[in-house]
């Protein structure tokens, strides 16, 4: 089978007279299939999440929701697909059935579908509308079908597999070409199953009989790729996170059998024997389904650009999700963010300054005319530079007739014959000598590096190590606009101020006294110690090339928590509530409520309030504390009550909560969680702080 696939790849990528050349490099197996190559070239496409739980404001449905809730009065699949097209996406994957089991097509195998609701008199078929809209806008169409089904009474039993495959047949035979099928990894647990409330557990590696399920999929859709994060290896892999990035080292390889660790998902495996490239799936909002409370949490342009560089720019693809609103439309805020993202990408990669360079390489393959260095700048993905078979290192130099300015480099391997490069560096000729710009590991289908803008007459790519003779098909150089957004400012537990920019280029200037920073202010390079004081930090990002600056970012901090310590005996990793990182969190898993945390501030302070930031991870929504008590002490024995109550609307506004009280001196504080959103026994925290006089 592998030899057949390799032959197909060769036929697709070489002209007939190529066979007269005897020095074509041998394939380094495993190699991608034709379907995987077609998928990889798409690079960027959409997820769209829409289901019954859109109407219950839940992350996952329980399977017992009344289907009559589903009422998208303004549903317009053409709007969804138009936005995806204008955003530069090449396809759309739609949630035909999520974990609740509610089907968005009139499946003949269940009553839990849109055929049994008042909307459109039960005559709707959203999958049909999506397939037609994708065809109209020339986008590829894919479907998501959750293997887990919380509504079906047979889930967990052998009979369910027949039901699951019957639904696959419906989706893969009635809606034209499907480019990708997405099988989510969530499976089983406690809850509702077709009338029964119980716990059902399955062995995800064997229950679905993946080999035969995959066989069915490929028989019905020969051009499809399969995504799955469990069981037998599919065509594509999860990268271990939904945060929007894959590892800097990213092999498109895995072992065909065996358990996968987080490192394997994130980085692939250099010695893998199966071609399983990484797909980076993330949402344009924190959650996959629409929640009005996230209208102000749509990813910003800098975040989206960073996601692109950390996915497509790291040998992956980017699957970006749009959550559809209950009215059946994509929110205007999401649309604007996606279109701004498209505009910025187009600007960043508009002018390739390498296209008119003179290219030469060392060493060169014996048949230089077919594998010459010029192939890397000829805009033809079917040609490439290659060394001789026994040579695993080499360099390509691009010389310009006049100095060129750039801050991005895009490099591609000819992966039809396998992924090879293990390490490489890039250099620029500056002040009559070569200066290293960056040094990295893998390249793969596409690698994009960012660095401060430079001007040079020569650029060099050095292949430092490779599994076999390197095959480089493309080198492009771009001068991307600098994104001048206000920098972010945090203060860690040691009292150090950490300032970061959305781009690698801007110079950051800051002040600690409340004055507006200018280019004459302190330049930020490393964390800034502020001792135990209460600094007012202001910072700007400045473009060193034209002097333009961002808006001013300001952050006020109270006393340093450097000498604070957690003294509660069941605190565990509670130190995370003091680290200054709003993305880290701690859950008190003492399995009881009320749950308390005690903190020693190291010395007596004059307090007039406290602050609580809930866990910022959507999946911890139920752990957000709603009701509390707060106490102070000077000896950790005699506690004085200071405040209690409810954090109003914290579920819909999970941001910093501030409570004040009359000024009092204390060394110890105690924060008691009485109740959380999910009414569980595991309250969640991102940060706890105090307000001092």
């Amino acid at each position: 089978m592998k030899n057949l696939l390799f032959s197909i790849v060769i036929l697709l990528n070489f002209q007939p007279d190529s066979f007269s050349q005897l020095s074509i490099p041998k394939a380094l197996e495993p190699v991608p299939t034709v379907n995987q190559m077609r998928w990889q070239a798409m690079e960027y496409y959409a997820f769209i999440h829409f289901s019954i739980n859109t109407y219950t404001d839940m992350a996952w449905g329980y399977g017992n929701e009344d289907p009559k809730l589903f009422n998208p009065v303004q549903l317009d699949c053409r709007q969804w697909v138009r936005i995806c097209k204008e955003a530069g996406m090449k396809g759309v994957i739609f949630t035909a059935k999520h974990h609740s089991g509610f089907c968005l097509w009139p499946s003949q195998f269940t009553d839990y579908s849109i055929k049994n609701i008042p909307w459109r008199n039960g005559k709707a078929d959203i999958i049909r509308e999506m397939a037609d809209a994708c065809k109209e806008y020339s986008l590829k169409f894919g479907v998501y079908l959750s293997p887990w089904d919380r509504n079906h009474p047979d889930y967990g039993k052998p009979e369910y597999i027949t039901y699951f495959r019957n639904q696959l047949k419906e989706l893969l035979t009635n809606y034209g070409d499907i480019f990708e099928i997405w099988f989510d990894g969530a499976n089983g647990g406690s809850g509702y199953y077709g009338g029964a409330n119980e716990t059902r557990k399955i062995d995800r590696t064997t229950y679905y009989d993946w080999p035969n399920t995959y066989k069915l999929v490929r028989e019905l859709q020969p051009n499809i790729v399969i995504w799955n994060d469990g069981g037998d290896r599919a065509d594509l892999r999860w990268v271990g996170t939904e945060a929007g990035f894959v590892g800097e080292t990213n092999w498109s390889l895995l072992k065909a059998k065996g358990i996968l660790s987080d490192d394997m998902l994130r980085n692939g495996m250099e010695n893998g024997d199966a071609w399983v490239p990484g797909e980076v799936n993330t949402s344009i909002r924190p959650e996959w389904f629409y929640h009005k409370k996230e209208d102000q949490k749509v990813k910003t342009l800098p975040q989206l650009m960073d996601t692109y560089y950390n996915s497509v720019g790291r040998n992956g693809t980017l699957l970006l999700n749009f959550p559809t609103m209950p009215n059946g439309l994509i929110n205007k805020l999401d649309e604007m963010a996606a279109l701004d993202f498209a505009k910025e990408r187009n600007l960043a990669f508009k002018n390739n300054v390498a296209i008119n360079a003179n290219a030469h390489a060392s060493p060169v393959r014996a048949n230089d005319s077919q594998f010459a260095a010029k192939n890397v700048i000829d805009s033809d993905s079917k040609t490439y530079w290659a060394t001789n078979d026994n040579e695993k290192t080499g360099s390509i130099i691009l010389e310009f007739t006049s100095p060129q300015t750039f801050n991005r480099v895009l490099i591609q391997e000819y992966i039809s014959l396998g992924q090879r490069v293990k390490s490489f560096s890039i250099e620029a000729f500056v002040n009559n000598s070569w200066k290293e710009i960056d040094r990295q590991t893998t390249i793969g289908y596409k690698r994009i590096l960012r660095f401060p803008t430079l001007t040079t007459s020569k650029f060099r790519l050095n292949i430092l190590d490779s599994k076999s003779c390197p095959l480089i098909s493309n080198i492009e150089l771009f001068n991307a606009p600098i994104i001048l957004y206000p920098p972010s400012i945090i203060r860690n537990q040691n009292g150090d101020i950490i300032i970061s920019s959305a781009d690698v280029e801007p110079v950051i200037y800051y002040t600690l006294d409340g004055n507006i920073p200018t280019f004459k202010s302190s330049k930020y390079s490393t964390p800034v110690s502020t001792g135990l004081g209460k600094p007012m930090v202001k910072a700007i990002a400045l473009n060193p090339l034209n002097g333009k600056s961002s808006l001013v970012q300001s952050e006020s901090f109270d006393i340093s928590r450097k000498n604070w310590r957690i003294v509660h005996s069941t605190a565990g990793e509670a130190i995370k509530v003091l680290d200054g990182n709003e993305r880290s969190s701690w859950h008190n898993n003492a399995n009881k409520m009320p749950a308390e945390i005690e903190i020693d501030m190291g010395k007596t302070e004059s307090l007039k309030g406290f602050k609580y930031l809930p866990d910022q991870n959507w999946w911890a929504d139920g752990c957000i504390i709603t009701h509390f008590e707060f106490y102070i002490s000077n000896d950790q024995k005699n506690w004085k009550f200071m405040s209690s109550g409810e954090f109003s609307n914290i579920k819909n506004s999970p941001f910093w909560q501030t409570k004040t009280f009359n000024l009092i001196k204390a060394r110890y504080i105690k924060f008691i969680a009485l109740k959380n959103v999910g009414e569980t026994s595991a309250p969640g925290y991102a940060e706890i702080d105090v307000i001092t006089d």
Side-chain angles (χ1 to χ4, degrees), residues 608-642:
K608 58 179 182 181
F610 78 95
K611 296 164 64 178
Y612 160 69
L613 180 69
D615 188 341
Q616 296 298 287
N617 186 339
W618 167 269
W619 301 103
D621 178 83
C623 296
I624 293 175
I625 298 168
T626 58
H627 295 76
F628 70 92
E629 290 179 350
F630 189 82
Y631 295 81
I632 59 93
S633 175
N634 283 301
D635 58 8
Q636 207 184 352
K637 297 178 181 179
N638 300 296
W639 290 94
K640 179 178 177 62
F641 169 79
M642 297 303 300

Side-chain angles (χ1 to χ4, degrees), residues 1 4-6 8-9 12-13 31-43 45 140 177-181 214 217-227 234-236 275-277 279 317 415-416 445:
M1 182 64 180
L4 173 60
L5 292 174
F6 174 61
I8 293 173
V9 172
L12 285 174
N13 290 283
V31 298
T33 66
V34 174
N35 290 354
Q36 288 171 319
M37 284 295 299
R38 186 185 300 114
W39 161 85
Q40 186 92 56
M42 290 176 66
E43 297 190 2
Y45 42 100
K140 296 181 183 296
D177 291 336
I178 305 296
F179 86 92
E180 181 172 345
I181 182 77
Y214 293 170
V217 168
R218 291 179 174 126
E219 287 175 351
L220 297 174
Q221 291 283 339
N223 296 324
I224 205 168
V225 287
I226 301 170
W227 187 99
D235 298 313
L236 315 174
W275 188 274
V276 192
E279 178 186 76
T317 61
I415 61 169
S416 292
Y445 171 77

Side-chain angles (χ1 to χ4, degrees), residues 355-410:
I355 198 166
N356 293 318
N358 294 313
H360 51 93
S362 176
V364 294
R365 198 170 177 85
N367 187 347
D368 183 48
S369 62
Q370 187 173 351
F371 304 105
K374 65 181 181 180
N375 291 342
V376 304
I377 56 172
D378 65 0
S379 301
D380 186 348
S381 62
K382 299 176 184 177
T383 63
Y384 52 92
W385 163 74
T387 65
N388 291 309
D389 288 337
N390 61 343
E391 294 168 324
K392 299 180 180 180
T393 62
S395 297
I396 300 174
I397 295 177
L398 304 184
E399 291 192 69
F400 313 111
T401 55
S402 61
Q404 298 295 319
T405 299
F406 52 90
N407 53 25
R408 303 286 187 271
V409 59
L410 185 157

